């Protein structure tokens, strides 16, 4: 099948390096501490964050950091044919884990010991790239909840079809069976927190595809900064040495959002999540 | 701008789902005209000097693709909606349009109207997709007309023959193809024009005027829905129609649902199906099943007769089922009756261009020079085709190519139009300038960079030599054999390093991919690569330094391979020997020079390798290749003889096989999913059955359980007749299918087997000058050695598979062409000198038998009864003993018996001379 026409247009009229239309909105769930809806084309995800709050199950309590939990689900009506999906199937367990690990990498968990943060993401409408949309929605919701983070994690996928690297695959392109690289980055820090691919791809092509995905992530990060309606409470935090530091505010966007750049974090290798199904791609 | 597209689709399980897709509209899609002031002209394809821009619609593309391919058509805009419709209707036409659009010499531009913000149309409620597409096309046309005001040129034309004059603005600009072509004033283009058939909308009314004049000859094809349901219920059977090569009125449909082949007799039952079509067949009632008929060679209908032709080299060439048991009328057994049926519908057409000539006819007087002529294809399986032409005088007596357009119920023959005129030879286009631009300048020498390359071994000091057929100019392999001090032998096979010059992605490479192989005809060669490469730069000629890709083994004195090494190299061949020379050197015991010693050592090694291979079960098959001696001035053949195989041939062959096997192992190890290998499937029972029956008739018991068993029983098959063994081997050869290229990721390792060579792995590495497969394998091997990066192509398995398929197809075509060339020369030879010779009966028929003439390598029918005489009763066929016997028992012929025959060229129809064999 021809996914990119010789005229350089994809099936839906995008060019290979173009993303779908994205839209973010804060405060979709009033009861939650933070919530957001994120759309990438026809993919629509809602995320709600509760916490930091008391740990429900005492045995899970961590004394030095916060417990981050994540639950991913797909609404029954999210795909074309309505069907009842059992909760906790392999796929959603895996995605829950991926989201939790990605978010854990950016939340300053050590600031909130003995507490718990719950992230609930639900796919309202699925059209490819749900994993990325979930992460972006979760980031927005965490920011909305005012949970201290190193940076905003943004995620985007890229694939390789008809000898063309393609940004932000939709469902049709996703089900073509080609490689699908999902990347999550801390845009300001230029750190990778998530890198997943379940196919084989030669190293040089893989680097191109991943670079494209990173560009996509950066574009999303720019957009998220423009979502003016959310506020981020600047936390006063201790670093791991116990001293209170002054944080440089590196950028203040029109709605008083402050992004942090933490010098001492630069030495920490980002957590690279490689769940079982992912290929063992060498990291740099 | 974002639009969403939603439609309902039926899934495979029969569920209906609603599909919603995004549809982005853009403002950066340009009109493609270089003089347009509004658009970005960097992507423009349409020339600035164009007097008119043609916008073609779906029907024009589908019907008039031959016309569009003509050079006279330029500055054509193809809308993406048209492309999409063409793609859904006819994929091969789509590919041809796509090729036109990507050809930089032709000015075809694809306008993505579906994604342009101004030309996108939203489906209206109740509007069919077809109507919506039409509306979209019209709006695009309109846009172009608006733009044309900016061009400052004449208004664009719309080559369009069927849009009803609905909107007011159309009438001014719409032209039908016919009137447009007429306005060009080139009469030869008019022949390419396809005339609308009565099925077309516009002609319907015309037909209504005189319905009585139309006589329906064929029954109607069932609609697709009925066929599908019929297939489901088991009333109809689906299969590929194969027309008997010997008798065009008999066809077979291999049906899986029945597990047997259904015979279809006569054109009426075939109901307009062509050879290769996928058809739906309904079985006839059992009492109508025919008997005994398939045993006859020719049919009782008036047309043609069986031809004398070359011996098929494999089962693929021979018509199958010619030999299936058919009891004669005397002992009717109901089970032996084979099901016969008739075609009710055609699921997929296999129409392609056919080569042939026009049936001679007087020049018509009037009718404005338009003449209807009947075209007779060279391929007897194709019926005559009716064509319309304005240049009859020009085409008569010439060989032309004709494409089929339609076959009406009411006409006996399909109608078509002529495509190309071929002056009695194969169309072998010269290489284009872009291709030639990829060649290194001549004269070419090994440069110092090549020598300095760490990946390239300097083997110039080695005593390398080549052994080829006499007069061979494209030498792609050379050998060396050095006795090492410790008693071991180092043997090297050096193959021309074609990939050093043919780089992936260049026009040269694309052209070679398309050609796939060089074609060897009796007196000429159609090259895969341009001449400077094949005969000079790559050719491993003697006494010049050349680049090579080498496989070097070290053989222990026990003739076990100790090590294998692969390297790029520079060699300097010291002698380019012919097989005869090499053989003479080895045989001459007085010669003791180092080269001869090397040759002898090699020969000893080769013999042992050969023995070992045969032990493993490799088949020694015989072929009936013939060789011509050609008169250098008239190009007429002077003599024909069987190709003689010497020890030297076998020696070279042995090392080439070994190199291929070694390379196959290496590349498969590195690229288990994307290696190009060659396999030879084991023959199945059904294919071997006629052979076994023939063998049993002469009291020979062949064991076909494995290739080893078969090889052994072939060795035992020695009759009192010296030619007997070879004859049996030839018969075995033709039962086999052909070996094919494939991509290793597509099959499982047990299927990689090469049956004939008894090698678990095999590929082609040794002739990159004349086979593209070898070029691919060279690249794979270089990548395995880490010399180059693996080209993109190999990462795309479907693409590699499609290349492998194309190679198989080209390879087969090349073989067909060589065979046809040999057949032609045989004919020319016998035209002047009818001969009497000895022949062997290979098949028995009710009215004659098929003989094989060993001396000339040809095969053909011999009739016992004269044609037209329905005297089948005089001769009795004894199926079990493969004998045909006269009623009174006076004469009988049995299979493999030697007979004397007379060969003569007769010409029953003009332009169709053929060889006739008669019994003496």
């Amino acid at each position: 099948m021809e996914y990119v026409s010789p005229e350089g247009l994809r099936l839906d009229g995008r060019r290979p390096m173009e993303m779908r239309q994205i839209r973010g909105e804060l405060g979709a769930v009033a009861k939650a501490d933070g919530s957001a809806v994120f759309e990438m084309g026809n993919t629509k995800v809602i995320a709600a964050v509760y916490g930091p709050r008391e740990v429900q199950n005492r045995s899970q309590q961590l004394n030095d950091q916060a417990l981050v939990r994540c639950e991913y689900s797909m609404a029954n009506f999210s795909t074309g044919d309505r069907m009842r999906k059992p909760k906790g199937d392999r796929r959603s367990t895996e995605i829950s884990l991926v989201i939790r690990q990605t978010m854990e990498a950016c939340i300053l968990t050590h600031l909130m010991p003995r507490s718990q943060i719950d992230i609930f993401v639900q796919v309202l409408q699925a059209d490819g790239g749900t994993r990325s949309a979930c992460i972006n929605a979760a980031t927005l919701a965490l920011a909305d909840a005012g949970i201290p983070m190193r940076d905003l994690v943004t995620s985007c996928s890229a694939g390789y079809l008809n000898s063309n690297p393609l940004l932000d695959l939709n469902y049709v392109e996703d089900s073509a069976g080609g490689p699908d690289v999902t990347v999550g980055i801390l845009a300001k820090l230029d750190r990778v927190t998530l890198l997943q691919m379940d196919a084989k791809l030669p190293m040089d092509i893989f680097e191109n595809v991943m670079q494209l995905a990173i560009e996509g992530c950066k574009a999303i990060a720019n957009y998220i900064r423009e979502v003016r309606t959310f506020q981020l409470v600047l936390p006063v935090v201790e670093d791991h040495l116990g001293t209170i530091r002054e944080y440089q505010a590196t950028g203040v966007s029109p709605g008083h959002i402050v992004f942090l750049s933490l010098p001492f974090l630069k030495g920490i290798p980002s957590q690279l999540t490689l769940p079982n199904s992912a290929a063992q791609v060498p990291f740099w | 701008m974002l639009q969403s597209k939603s439609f309902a689709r039926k899934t495979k399980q029969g569920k209906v789902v609603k599909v919603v897709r995004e549809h982005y509209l853009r403002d950066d899609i340009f009109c493609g005209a270089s003089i347009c002031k509004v658009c970005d002209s960097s992507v423009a394809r349409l020339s600035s000097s164009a007097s008119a821009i043609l916008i073609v619609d779906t029907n024009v593309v589908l019907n008039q693709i031959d016309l569009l391919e003509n050079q006279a058509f330029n500055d054509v805009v193809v809308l993406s909606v048209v492309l999409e419709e063409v793609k859904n209707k006819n994929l091969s036409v789509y590919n041809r349009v796509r090729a036109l659009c990507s050809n930089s010499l032709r000015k075809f531009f694809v306008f993505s109207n579906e994604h342009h913000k101004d030309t996108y149309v939203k489906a209206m409620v109740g509007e069919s997709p077809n109507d919506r597409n039409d509306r979209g096309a019209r709006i695009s046309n309109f846009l172009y007309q608006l733009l044309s005001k900016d061009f400052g040129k004449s208004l664009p034309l719309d080559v369009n023959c069927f849009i009803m004059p609905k909107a007011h603005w159309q009438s001014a600009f719409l032209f039908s193809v016919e009137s447009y072509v007429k306005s060009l004033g080139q009469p030869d283009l008019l022949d390419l024009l396809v005339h609308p058939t009565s099925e077309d909308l516009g002609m319907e009314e015309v037909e209504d005027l005189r319905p009585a004049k139309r006589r329906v000859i064929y029954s109607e094809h069932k609609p697709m829905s009925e066929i599908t349901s019929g297939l489901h219920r088991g009333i109809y059977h689906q299969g590929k129609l194969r027309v008997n090569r010997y008798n065009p009125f008999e066809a077979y449909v291999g049906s899986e649902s029945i597990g047997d082949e259904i015979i279809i007799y006569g054109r009426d039952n075939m109901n307009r199906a062509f050879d290769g079509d996928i058809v739906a067949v309904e079985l006839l009632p059992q009492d109508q099943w025919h008997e005994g008929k398939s045993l006859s060679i020719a049919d009782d209908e008036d047309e043609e007769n069986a031809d004398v032709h070359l011996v098929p080299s494999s089962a693929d060439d021979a018509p199958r089922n010619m030999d299936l048991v058919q009891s004669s009328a005397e002992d009717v057994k109901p089970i032996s009756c084979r099901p016969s049926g008739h075609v009710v519908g055609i699921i997929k057409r296999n129409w392609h261009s056919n080569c042939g000539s026009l049936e001679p006819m007087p020049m018509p007087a009037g009718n404005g020079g338009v003449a209807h002529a009947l075209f007779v294809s060279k391929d007897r399986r194709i019926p005559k085709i009716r064509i319309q032409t304005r240049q009859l005088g020009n085409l008569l007596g010439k060989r032309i190519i004709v494409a089929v357009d339609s076959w009406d119920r009411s006409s006996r023959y399909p109608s078509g139009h002529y495509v190309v005129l071929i002056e009695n030879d194969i169309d072998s286009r010269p290489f284009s300038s872009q291709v030639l631009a990829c060649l290194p300048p001549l004269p070419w020498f090994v440069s110092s960079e090549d020598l300095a390359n760490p990946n390239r071994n300097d083997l110039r000091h080695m005593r390398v030599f080549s052994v080829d057929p006499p007069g061979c100019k494209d030498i792609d392999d050379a050998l060396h054999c050095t006795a090492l001090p410790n008693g071991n032998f180092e043997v090297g096979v050096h193959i021309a390093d074609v990939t050093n010059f043919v780089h992936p992605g260049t026009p040269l490479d694309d052209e070679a991919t398309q050609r796939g192989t060089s074609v060897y005809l009796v007196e000429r060669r159609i090259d895969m690569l341009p001449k400077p490469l094949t005969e000079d730069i790559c050719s491993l000629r003697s006494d010049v330094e050349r680049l090579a890709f080498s496989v070097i083994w070290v053989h222990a004195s026990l003739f076990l391979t100790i090590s294998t090494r692969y390297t790029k190299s520079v060699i300097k061949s010291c002698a380019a020997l012919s097989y005869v020379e090499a053989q003479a050197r080895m045989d001459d015991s007085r010669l003791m020079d180092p080269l001869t010693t090397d040759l002898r050592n090699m020969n000893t090694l080769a013999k042992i390798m050969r023995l070992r291979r045969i032990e493993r079960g490799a088949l020694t098959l015989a072929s009936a290749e013939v060789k011509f001696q050609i008169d250098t001035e008239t190009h007429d053949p002077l003599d024909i003889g069987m190709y003689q195989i010497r020890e030297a041939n076998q020696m070279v062959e042995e090392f080439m096989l070994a190199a291929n096997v070694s390379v196959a192992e290496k590349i498969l190890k590195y690229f288990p999913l994307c290696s190009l290998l060659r396999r030879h499937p084991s023959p199945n029972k059904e294919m071997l059955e006629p052979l076994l029956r023939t063998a049993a008739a002469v009291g020979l018991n062949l064991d076909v359980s494995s290739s080893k068993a078969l090889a052994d029983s072939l060795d035992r098959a020695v009759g009192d007749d010296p030619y007997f063994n070879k004859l049996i081997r030839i018969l075995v050869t033709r039962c086999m299918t052909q070996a094919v290229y494939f991509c290793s990721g597509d099959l499982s390792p047990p299927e990689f087997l090469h049956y004939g060579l008894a090698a678990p792995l095999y590929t082609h590495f040794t002739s990159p000058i004349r086979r593209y497969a070898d070029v691919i394998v060279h690249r794979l091997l270089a990548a395995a050695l880490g010399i180059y990066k693996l080209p993109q192509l190999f990462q795309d398995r479907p693409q590699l598979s499609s290349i492998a398929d194309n190679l198989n197809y080209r390879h087969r075509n090349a073989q067909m062409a060589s065979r046809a060339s040999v057949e032609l020369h045989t004919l020319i030879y016998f035209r002047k000198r009818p001969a009497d010779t000895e022949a062997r009966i290979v098949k028995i028929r009710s009215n004659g038998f098929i003989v094989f003439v060993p001396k000339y390598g040809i095969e053909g029918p011999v009739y016992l009864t004269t044609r037209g005489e329905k005297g089948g009763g005089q001769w009795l066929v004894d199926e079990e003993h493969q004998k045909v016997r006269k009623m009174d028992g006076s004469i009988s012929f049995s299979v493999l018996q030697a007979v004397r025959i007379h060969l003569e060229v007769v010409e029953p129809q003009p332009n169709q001379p053929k060889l006739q064999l008669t019994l003496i």
Side-chain angles (χ1 to χ4, degrees), chain B residues 715-877:
Chain B
D715 287 340
R716 282 195 304 274
V718 192
D720 33 354
D721 170 6
Y723 197 70
F724 178 77
N725 190 278
K726 180 149 192 207
L727 196 61
I728 289 285
R729 284 182 198 273
I730 289 177
L731 290 180
V732 172
T733 314
R734 68 162 67 163
C735 287
M736 306 282 170
T737 48
Q738 247 164 6
V740 287
Y741 298 109
F742 68 101
C743 164
S744 59
D746 291 347
L747 292 172
S748 64
E751 290 173 297
F752 295 177
L753 173 78
H754 195 293
Y755 179 83
L757 296 173
L761 285 180
Y762 191 67
T763 190
H764 269 164
F765 171 72
T766 51
S767 302
I769 296 182
R770 58 187 177 89
R771 289 188 305 230
Y772 189 73
D774 303 51
V775 176
I776 293 182
V777 171
H778 273 232
R779 288 191 188 135
L780 282 166
L781 182 62
L785 298 176
I787 301 176
Y788 294 127
K789 254 175 43 186
L790 196 61
Q792 284 268 304
L793 149 80
F794 297 105
Q795 286 136 21
D796 192 355
R797 202 195 323 159
Q799 206 184 339
L800 191 60
S801 305
S802 83
I803 287 190
D805 289 344
N806 179 46
L807 287 178
N808 289 330
Y809 172 74
R810 295 282 165 195
H811 192 72
R812 214 171 135 54
N813 272 6
Q815 277 187 334
M816 299 281 242
S818 322
R819 280 165 53 87
S821 164
V822 172
E823 272 170 29
L824 177 71
H825 281 83
T826 315
L827 208 61
I828 298 173
Y829 176 77
F830 285 111
R831 189 192 285 250
K832 296 211 180 110
R833 21 181 125 56
D836 293 347
T837 184
E838 188 179 284
R840 301 302 179 117
I841 300 176
V842 287
K843 272 173 208 164
I844 298 286
R845 291 281 171 274
S846 67
N847 60 349
F849 41 77
I850 304 220
V851 294
F852 165 64
V853 187
K855 191 176 171 198
Y856 304 117
I858 51 175
E859 193 185 69
V862 171
Y863 299 97
L864 292 170
T865 50
T866 44
R867 272 210 308 140
E869 184 194 324
K870 296 273 191 308
Q874 275 191 29
W875 294 88
L876 282 182
V877 178

Side-chain angles (χ1 to χ4, degrees), chain A residues 19-36:
Chain A
M19 253 193 317
R20 289 175 287 177
Q21 214 165 46
I22 50 176
R23 197 178 75 84
E25 187 192 319
L26 290 180
V29 184
K31 214 173 175 189
D33 295 321
S35 62

Side-chain angles (χ1 to χ4, degrees), chain B residues 135-154:
Chain B
R135 201 155 55 85
R138 281 206 299 275
I139 288 177
S140 301
N141 293 353
F142 188 55
L143 181 86
Y144 268 86
Q145 284 167 21
L146 290 179
L147 288 171
S148 72
K149 285 176 188 137
D150 293 331
F151 298 165
K153 293 262 180 174
S154 67

Side-chain angles (χ1 to χ4, degrees), chain A:
Chain A
M1 177 135 164
E2 199 176 60
Y3 291 95
V4 185
S5 74
E7 288 72 53
L9 291 181
R10 286 153 76 171
L11 294 173
D12 55 4
R14 284 182 288 157
R15 296 201 188 273
M17 309 264 179
E18 287 175 352
M19 253 193 317
R20 289 175 287 177
Q21 214 165 46
I22 50 176
R23 197 178 75 84
E25 187 192 319
L26 290 180
V29 184
K31 214 173 175 189
D33 295 321
S35 62
V37 171
F38 196 81
E39 284 175 37
M40 298 172 87
N42 277 344
T43 300
K44 191 173 196 172
V45 174
I46 188 166
V49 169
Y50 293 88
R53 57 182 178 186
E54 200 175 349
V55 180
Q56 286 168 341
N57 186 353
R58 279 296 163 90
S59 61
Q60 289 180 337
Q61 179 173 304
L62 302 170
N63 286 324
D64 54 343
Q65 59 178 11
L67 173 71
V68 179
R69 297 205 313 178
C70 177
E71 192 181 301
Y72 162 93
S73 61
M74 271 176 104
N76 286 336
F77 51 82
S78 62
T79 51
D81 42 347
R82 184 190 164 90
M83 49 183 186
R84 198 166 289 278
K85 287 206 184 89
K87 233 182 185 180
D89 60 324
R90 270 167 176 272
R91 187 173 173 276
S92 48
T93 317
E94 188 245 354
I95 296 184
S96 301
L97 181 75
V98 167
I99 299 172
R100 182 174 67 77
Q101 288 178 330
T102 313
M103 297 335 285
E104 250 182 353
C106 78
I107 299 173
L108 298 168
T109 46
H110 62 278
L111 299 179
M112 299 157 278
R114 294 175 295 280
S115 63
Q116 163 179 329
I117 299 166
D118 288 306
I119 306 169
F120 297 97
V121 274
Q122 186 167 38
V123 178
L124 299 180
Q125 193 170 293
D127 185 28
T130 48
R131 208 174 291 237
S132 302
C134 286
I135 291 173
N136 295 334
T139 306
L140 274 176
L142 283 171
D144 189 32
I147 289 171
M149 291 190 282
R150 300 191 168 118
D151 190 0
L152 295 172
V153 202
T154 50
S155 168
C156 190
S157 68
Y160 189 75
L161 290 171
N162 296 147
S163 312
N164 264 310
L166 301 181
L167 185 62
D168 191 14
L169 305 183
N170 65 20
Y171 178 74
V172 184
E173 291 164 335
D174 207 9
S175 38
D180 175 13
V181 181
T182 305
V183 178
I185 62 161
L186 298 170
K188 280 268 166 181
L189 300 176
D190 229 355
R191 289 261 182 271
V192 174
T193 58
L194 165 71
L195 183 57
Q196 266 193 320
M197 175 173 77
D198 29 25
K200 278 188 180 175
L201 206 55
M203 209 51 205
D204 48 339
I205 295 176
F206 168 74
E207 274 164 24
N208 285 340
V209 175
M210 191 179 87
Q211 201 50 49
L212 183 64
I214 289 178
E215 295 302 319
C217 294
K218 287 183 177 161
I220 292 176
N222 283 338
Y223 171 76
I224 284 184
R225 279 182 197 132
E226 282 172 19
V227 178
R228 301 169 176 210
T229 43
F230 76 89
Q231 302 168 339
L232 184 71
V233 182
L234 183 65
V236 179
V237 289
E238 291 170 67
D239 69 9
H240 62 306
L241 301 171
T243 50
I244 293 187
R245 287 218 176 203
E246 245 181 57
Y247 295 104
Q248 297 163 260
T250 51
V252 180
S253 73
H256 38 278
I257 313 159
V258 180
F259 294 97
L260 310 173
S261 121
L262 305 181
F264 67 89
L265 285 172
K266 286 211 170 129
I268 303 172
S270 328
Q271 264 172 290
L272 184 70
T273 58
L274 279 176
N276 292 338
S277 64
Q280 296 292 320
V281 248
F283 179 61
W284 296 153

Side-chain angles (χ1 to χ4, degrees), chain B residues 479-746:
Chain B
L479 301 155
H480 85 260
C481 174
T482 318
L484 298 177
N486 58 4
N488 292 350
F489 286 100
E490 185 191 83
V491 181
V493 169
H494 311 277
I495 307 297
D497 193 5
V498 172
T499 47
N500 195 52
F501 305 100
V502 182
H503 297 288
T506 55
L508 178 62
D509 187 50
D510 294 344
E511 181 74 27
T513 320
Q514 271 311 308
R515 296 196 177 208
T517 172
S518 294
V519 183
Y520 286 79
L521 304 181
V522 170
E523 190 49 353
R524 57 183 290 206
R525 189 180 75 210
I526 301 169
D527 283 322
M528 178 181 86
L529 296 167
K531 207 156 233 135
L533 268 186
T534 53
E535 293 189 356
D536 187 7
I537 300 174
C538 286
S539 182
L540 304 176
R541 295 176 304 154
S542 60
D543 299 325
V544 282
E545 293 174 2
R546 285 289 174 256
L547 300 182
F549 209 150
S550 308
V551 179
I552 299 167
W553 302 279
V554 176
H555 286 276
S557 41
L558 293 166
F559 307 109
L560 285 169
T561 314
I562 302 176
S563 69
T564 313
R565 175 160 81 90
Y566 310 85
T567 176
K568 293 244 177 181
S569 58
V570 185
I571 59 161
K572 188 171 177 184
S573 169
C574 66
L577 304 172
S578 72
Y579 288 126
V580 189
E581 280 172 325
Q583 190 64 45
R585 268 171 183 268
M586 285 192 282
D587 292 346
D588 191 345
S589 53
R590 287 163 305 170
L591 281 177
M592 289 309 286
D593 59 304
L595 181 60
T596 314
T597 324
D598 284 355
L599 273 172
R600 288 201 188 111
N601 284 339
M602 260 189 132
N603 198 21
T604 327
L605 268 177
K607 276 184 189 160
I608 290 167
M609 284 159 69
R610 192 176 165 77
L611 266 181
R612 216 180 303 139
R613 192 159 60 84
I614 287 171
E615 233 161 66
R616 261 185 294 143
L619 295 176
T620 322
L621 299 174
S623 70
E625 262 185 84
V626 288
K627 192 178 65 177
F628 285 91
Q629 274 182 359
I630 306 271
D631 187 290
T632 42
E633 295 205 344
T634 57
H635 294 290
D636 281 355
L638 293 176
D639 195 12
I640 318 182
M642 288 291 252
Y643 194 82
Q644 201 188 342
I645 294 187
R646 296 182 179 79
E647 238 175 34
N649 297 39
Q650 292 185 339
M651 175 186 90
V652 175
E653 187 195 344
E654 206 54 54
F655 283 104
M656 295 307 140
L657 290 180
N660 287 337
V661 170
S662 296
V663 170
E665 283 164 3
K666 178 86 175 173
I667 57 173
L668 189 70
K669 190 174 145 205
Y670 277 80
F671 307 110
L673 289 180
C674 62
S675 290
L676 185 76
L677 301 179
R678 191 167 171 84
R679 72 191 186 102
H680 183 210
S682 316
N684 57 25
K685 269 268 160 52
E686 186 203 334
M687 286 150 62
L688 287 170
E689 182 155 325
L691 168 75
L692 292 179
R693 200 145 12 88
T694 308
V698 292
L700 182 66
N701 188 18
L702 285 181
D703 183 358
V704 294
S705 53
S706 71
S707 63
K708 170 80 177 136
L710 181 57
D712 288 346
S713 50
L714 279 177
D715 287 340
R716 282 195 304 274
V718 192
D720 33 354
D721 170 6
Y723 197 70
F724 178 77
N725 190 278
K726 180 149 192 207
L727 196 61
I728 289 285
R729 284 182 198 273
I730 289 177
L731 290 180
V732 172
T733 314
R734 68 162 67 163
C735 287
M736 306 282 170
T737 48
Q738 247 164 6
V740 287
Y741 298 109
F742 68 101
C743 164
S744 59
D746 291 347

